[in-house]
Amino acid sequence: MTQYMPLFRSCYTTRTLTQLHAHLLVTGQHRSHLASTKLIESYAQIGPLDSAKLVFQTFPRPDSFMYGVLIKRYVWHGLFTEAVNLYYNMLHELTLISSFIFPSVLRACSGSRHLDVGQTVHGRIIKSGLESDPVVQTSLLNMYGEASYLSHARKVFDEMHERDIVSWSSIISMHIRNSQAIQGLKLFRQMVTDGHEPDYVTLLSIAEACGELCLGLQSKSIHSYTITRNIKSNDNNTLINSLVAMYGKCGELYTAETLFNLVSTHCTSSWTAMITCYNHNGYFQEALEVFNKMQESKTEPNAITMMGILSSCARLSSLKQGKSIHGFVIRKHLDPDNNILESSLIDLYANCGKLTSCHKIFDTAKNRHLVSWNMVISGYTREGMFDHTLDLFKQMMSCKISPDEFTIASVVSTCGNLNYFNHGTQIHGYATKTGILNEFVHNSLIDMYAKCGFVNIAYNIFNNMDHKSVVTWNSMMWGFSYNGNLIEAMNLFDHMFLEDLEMDEVTFLNAIQTCSDLRHLKKGKWIHHKLITNVDRYIDTYIDTALVDMYAKCGDLFMAQRVFDMMSNKSVVSWSAMIDAYGMHGYVDFAISVFDEMIKSKMKPNGITFMNILSACSHAGYVEKGKFYFESMKDFGVEPNLEHYSCLIDLLSRAGHLDDAYGIINSIPFPPNSGVWGSLLNGCRIHRRLDIMNRIQENLEKIDDTGYYTLLSNISAEGQDWKQFENVRSKMKTTGLRKLQGCSMIQTR
């Protein structure tokens, strides 16, 4: 039979192999175990697998080696279930099994995710006395590793008498792949201590671990080791790409760029690595520029590349470019079944506020996994469509998709925004029962209970948390402030400062706004000083705007103007705050001057800006100026709302233009509220226009506001119309309205 071996090696086509097969049949050599085994192997390798199976099935008594060859070829073709079934058939037919069988069977168990079968095979290996075979041990190691059974894999590894570089690389990569990067690095150190030289495969895993843990110093050591030992692979770009990704995750963007530029010819994976690197560091526009260069180099992207680019467009809220990329993906058939890019496309349209497109992709998805559900839910939450968020959550639960901490946090936040206390407590109970209660969820619960007015429950959750990050402290401070517990909010800030806890810009923003509400100038100045000394080079428009507002409300206009002048970036909110600062103190000309300066700086005013300037004109009696600003709102694309009309009515009423004010009320495109009628009523009191009061009597009776009933009774008393006075007071008692007691507040510390 040995003379036929060269003939088998010379068979490169199905035709030549079938000719040799025919010759073996004629000569009777096909009855040989060796000949039939070679036929099975050759058919499986170059021809149809059915022919290999037919040879096997027609052989009277296949031996262990013949079974092993066919099982190996099944695995090679990805037919893992067929390989496992053939292994069970073999167990019924044979008593002696060669160690040659087990590596292929273990690979089949791993590929078919039949770990229970794999453990049974492991038992057979031990029973056969083959547990010390190096090849079998490596196969066991890989099977448990691919199934993420690290404890089983580690036990196999620890029992290996001889560990080569392959087994070390396998156990290290398994830990890193399963989010145990620290343990992977410990094993790497142990490997080096035992005298094993790492190869490029090991270094790929170690580079990934250093990146995941953001170990900048260790990352440079790995890079240096690679250079000094001249470690290369068949495709050296793979190692360089891993180093680029590693430096990117560690924030060493310049080093990553330098490495990337050292490569003479970039492949798809190297371009993708650089795009990912820019995205990770928040340079989304630069990531898009790299993609443009990739296109110019005629390098074809893959689905992973497009995932990175779609993420860039999503973070930039660049809908036009994102839609263009979506079209590119469809034209190039990069993800025909939408399996890989489904989540990225949902993320893009959700971030751009196009929830219809987002939901369309979600509805047509074949496999709606948890990430997709979370993205759609967070998209609706971000756009303020809270009822849709709850509906989606109910659909998700009905589909038997178990939520994670991100789902729970989004839905809890929605309950807070809708003031759905009962729904919120139910989800809190579900999270407690299922154990989905990390810090992220706790912070959302604190926010939800605070928004629903149950600040005591929020504080109870806060108190019972073992670990409190700066986000947790900020959430509780905001919760106290939101519910008017300003002293408690300030006490939290003082505690953080005294205990030297981490504080960020949001902490100081909360504290400044609390001082503003308390009118606590001395404390506000102290916090401003601590902000400057504790936060290095802070540049935050929100904080500076809050400082302007705080100093203005506390009566220190000089400091408010000084902070405003020192701002490098003034937003529309900043300009509006400065206008309001002068307006509330009666310096209307200064307020108008700031408004004019704002227009000259090309900053477009919004509704709040006009509200502030109209209010300033109203308090100073600048009727013509006020009317001018009201009319100019449309020139800046701002539609007047009810508050703007109320301010205009107040301006005209205070100045005695009551007929004009009444005419405007009748022309308002929406129903006037108590504020509008109250402004007119106050004007009638000032200018003693009882005729208009009588005309609007029917409208005044619809007002359900204590302040305006009190005003109406005072007007009647001033006019000595005691009958009307008694009628108003009687109606207040009937409707349950009571005059609020006046109060004063002073700073005590």
Side-chain angles (χ1 to χ4, degrees):
M1 185 59 210
T2 54
Q3 68 269 25
Y4 287 99
M5 292 301 105
L7 294 176
F8 276 106
R9 285 193 292 271
S10 64
C11 291
Y12 296 109
T13 64
T14 306
R15 183 178 178 183
T16 56
L17 183 58
T18 53
Q19 287 174 346
L20 178 57
H21 189 183
H23 176 77
L24 293 172
L25 287 169
V26 171
T27 59
Q29 295 291 334
H30 69 286
R31 298 186 186 92
S32 164
H33 278 83
L34 181 58
S36 289
T37 302
K38 285 301 294 181
L39 280 169
I40 291 168
E41 185 177 34
S42 300
Y43 273 125
Q45 190 169 357
I46 65 170
L49 196 58
D50 289 340
S51 299
K53 289 164 62 177
L54 187 61
V55 172
F56 177 83
Q57 290 166 357
T58 55
F59 198 84
R61 287 183 301 278
D63 61 4
S64 176
F65 188 70
M66 193 180 293
Y67 269 103
V69 168
L70 187 56
I71 288 171
K72 184 178 181 180
R73 288 302 163 184
Y74 273 146
V75 173
W76 192 72
H77 282 275
L79 302 171
F80 303 120
T81 303
E82 288 82 348
V84 171
N85 291 337
L86 188 59
Y87 166 74
Y88 277 119
N89 290 339
M90 182 187 68
L91 293 180
H92 288 295
E93 299 293 333
L94 302 176
T95 54
L96 295 175
I97 300 174
S98 168
S99 62
F100 168 75
I101 298 286
F102 292 112
S104 297
V105 176
L106 291 169
R107 177 71 190 92
C109 294
S110 174
S112 60
R113 303 295 180 187
H114 288 156
L115 188 64
D116 52 342
V117 178
Q119 290 176 306
T120 304
V121 174
H122 190 178
R124 170 72 64 170
I125 290 168
I126 295 171
K127 188 177 180 180
S128 303
L130 299 170
E131 68 272 19
S132 298
D133 185 292
V135 178
V136 173
Q137 284 181 324
T138 302
S139 299
L140 282 167
L141 188 66
N142 290 331
M143 180 193 71
Y144 285 124
E146 288 183 19
S148 299
Y149 274 57
L150 291 185
S151 58
H152 293 68
R154 186 61 189 268
K155 186 177 181 181
V156 172
F157 179 78
D158 290 340
E159 291 173 354
M160 295 175 72
H161 297 299
E162 295 182 8
R163 300 169 187 158
D164 58 9
I165 189 64
V166 175
S167 57
W168 275 107
S169 295
S170 296
I171 195 69
I172 289 169
S173 66
M174 285 171 200
H175 281 84
I176 294 169
R177 204 167 53 240
N178 286 277
S179 303
Q180 294 193 18
I182 294 175
Q183 187 61 35
L185 289 176
K186 287 180 180 178
L187 285 166
F188 174 70
R189 282 194 289 270
Q190 186 182 339
M191 177 187 112
V192 175
T193 304
D194 288 356
H196 293 278
E197 287 283 338
D199 60 6
Y200 90 98
V201 177
T202 317
L203 292 176
L204 285 176
S205 297
I206 297 304
E208 183 182 348
C210 290
E212 291 297 328
L213 297 171
C214 298
L215 302 175
L217 185 61
Q218 289 86 339
S219 298
K220 291 176 181 177
S221 298
I222 294 298
H223 188 188
S224 176
Y225 183 90
T226 304
I227 296 170
T228 54
R229 297 301 176 96
N230 197 26
I231 295 176
K232 294 183 179 179
S233 65
N234 295 332
D235 179 14
N236 202 42
N237 279 349
T238 305
L239 186 54
I240 293 177
N241 294 342
S242 293
L243 292 171
V244 167
M246 173 187 73
Y247 279 120
K249 288 178 180 177
C250 293
E252 299 277 351
L253 197 55
Y254 175 77
T255 310
E257 289 172 333
T258 305
L259 261 179
F260 176 77
N261 292 329
L262 284 175
V263 180
S264 55
T265 305
H266 296 293
C267 61
T268 302
S269 57
S270 61
W271 287 107
T272 304
M274 199 64 230
I275 289 168
T276 305
C277 186
Y278 277 124
N279 277 343
H280 185 81
N281 287 276
Y283 292 91
F284 307 113
Q285 190 60 51
E286 286 77 2
L288 293 177
E289 290 170 7
V290 170
F291 179 67
N292 291 335
K293 290 177 182 177
M294 179 182 182
Q295 293 290 287
E296 291 169 5
S297 70
K298 307 298 182 184
T299 306
E300 287 294 327
N302 58 22
I304 306 301
T305 317
M306 304 319 296
M307 189 183 296
I309 294 304
L310 286 168
S311 178
S312 304
C313 294
R315 303 288 81 75
L316 292 168
S317 297
S318 180
L319 179 62
K320 185 177 180 181
Q321 198 155 8
K323 290 173 77 173
S324 175
I325 297 297
H326 190 182
F328 179 87
V329 168
I330 295 170
R331 289 196 306 273
K332 293 285 185 177
H333 301 285
L334 293 175
D335 188 24
D337 295 326
N338 240 18
N339 290 331
I340 300 174
L341 297 179
E342 168 202 320
S343 298
S344 299
L345 289 167
I346 289 172
D347 182 43
L348 166 71
Y349 289 114
N351 270 283
C352 294
K354 296 296 179 182
L355 294 177
T356 303
S357 301
C358 172
H359 217 122
K360 187 176 180 182
I361 294 168
F362 180 73
D363 287 339
T364 55
K366 293 181 179 178
N367 299 310
R368 295 183 189 175
H369 44 72
L370 180 60
V371 175
S372 301
W373 282 98
N374 282 347
M375 285 181 173
V376 179
I377 285 172
S378 65
Y380 277 112
T381 303
R382 193 165 46 246
E383 291 297 314
M385 302 174 71
F386 303 119
D387 287 325
H388 287 78
T389 300
L390 291 179
D391 288 341
L392 272 171
F393 179 67
K394 292 173 186 175
Q395 289 176 36
M396 177 180 166
M397 297 297 284
S398 66
C399 292
K400 308 299 181 184
I401 305 291
S402 298
D404 62 3
E405 61 269 23
F406 298 104
T407 326
I408 296 296
S410 293
V411 178
V412 165
S413 175
T414 294
C415 292
N417 288 312
L418 289 172
N419 203 17
Y420 282 4
F421 173 74
N422 291 333
H423 286 73
T425 53
Q426 288 173 16
I427 294 167
H428 186 184
Y430 174 85
T432 305
K433 184 179 179 181
T434 54
I436 312 176
L437 276 177
N438 60 7
E439 185 192 339
F440 186 47
V441 174
H442 276 130
N443 293 343
S444 297
L445 286 168
I446 289 170
D447 179 74
M448 182 271 292
Y449 283 118
K451 284 179 178 175
C452 291
F454 293 88
V455 70
N456 290 336
I457 300 177
Y459 188 61
N460 189 44
I461 293 170
F462 173 82
N463 258 345
N464 290 325
M465 289 175 65
D466 295 327
H467 172 73
K468 301 181 183 75
S469 70
V470 64
V471 178
T472 310
W473 286 91
N474 291 343
S475 298
M476 196 62 246
M477 277 184 68
W478 179 89
F480 275 134
S481 297
Y482 182 80
N483 286 275
N485 301 80
L486 303 176
I487 301 299
E488 287 82 354
M490 191 54 65
N491 287 340
L492 280 184
F493 176 82
D494 291 339
H495 181 83
M496 290 179 74
F497 185 81
L498 291 172
E499 295 295 326
D500 199 25
L501 300 176
E502 181 189 355
M503 305 169 91
D504 61 10
E505 284 88 346
V506 178
T507 316
F508 283 98
L509 180 63
N510 280 334
I512 292 164
Q513 288 174 336
T514 302
C515 287
S516 179
D517 293 333
L518 285 169
R519 306 298 192 264
H520 205 324
L521 180 60
K522 185 178 179 181
K523 187 75 171 183
K525 285 184 175 181
W526 181 82
I527 290 171
H528 190 183
H529 172 260
K530 297 306 174 187
L531 171 67
I532 296 169
T533 55
N534 284 271
V535 181
D536 294 336
R537 295 182 178 181
Y538 90 90
I539 301 174
D540 194 306
T541 306
Y542 295 105
I543 289 181
D544 286 333
T545 303
L547 284 168
V548 170
D549 181 66
M550 185 271 293
Y551 280 118
K553 285 181 178 176
C554 293
D556 195 338
L557 272 177
F558 172 77
M559 278 302 298
Q561 181 68 59
R562 187 175 177 185
V563 172
F564 179 77
D565 291 339
M566 292 177 68
M567 291 174 67
S568 54
N569 296 308
K570 298 181 179 74
S571 67
V572 63
V573 181
S574 311
W575 287 99
S576 301
M578 197 64 237
I579 292 167
D580 186 47
Y582 280 120
M584 74 172 71
H585 286 276
Y587 296 103
V588 186
D589 292 329
F590 284 106
I592 291 171
S593 176
V594 173
F595 182 87
D596 293 340
E597 188 182 345
M598 175 185 181
I599 302 302
K600 288 177 184 177
S601 70
K602 307 298 183 184
M603 179 63 70
K604 185 180 177 181
N606 62 12
I608 301 297
T609 318
F610 279 107
M611 189 69 213
N612 292 345
I613 194 69
L614 285 171
S615 179
C617 291
S618 175
H619 284 88
Y622 282 28
V623 178
E624 295 305 318
K625 277 283 185 182
K627 290 166 70 175
F628 166 77
Y629 288 124
F630 186 85
E631 292 297 328
S632 64
M633 288 177 67
K634 293 182 180 179
D635 297 336
F636 293 96
V638 179
E639 284 294 326
N641 59 28
L642 195 57
E643 288 186 352
H644 294 110
Y645 277 105
S646 179
C647 205
L648 179 63
I649 299 301
D650 185 58
L651 168 68
L652 294 171
S653 299
R654 283 172 182 267
H657 300 252
L658 294 166
D659 292 310
D660 292 342
Y662 185 56
I664 290 172
I665 290 176
N666 290 326
S667 66
I668 294 177
F670 19 72
N673 62 5
S674 60
V676 173
W677 289 116
S679 295
L680 182 62
L681 180 62
N682 189 47
C684 291
R685 182 188 68 81
I686 295 169
H687 298 282
R688 300 191 180 278
R689 290 290 302 273
L690 298 179
D691 57 320
I692 294 181
M693 281 180 56
N694 293 330
R695 263 189 280 169
I696 63 173
Q697 189 68 39
E698 184 179 342
N699 303 104
L700 294 177
E701 289 174 357
K702 298 176 183 177
I703 296 177
D704 187 20
D705 187 288
T706 303
Y708 294 117
Y709 270 98
T710 304
L711 177 62
L712 190 59
S713 66
N714 290 342
I715 292 171
S716 301
E718 288 174 9
Q720 296 187 350
D721 188 348
W722 303 112
K723 185 177 180 181
Q724 177 65 13
F725 175 84
E726 287 298 330
N727 288 338
V728 173
R729 291 287 179 169
S730 175
K731 188 167 185 179
M732 286 180 69
K733 289 179 181 179
T734 304
T735 55
L737 294 173
R738 296 181 62 187
K739 183 179 182 296
L740 297 175
Q741 296 294 320
C743 64
S744 300
M745 184 177 70
I746 61 171
Q747 295 179 14
T748 58
R749 61 188 179 93

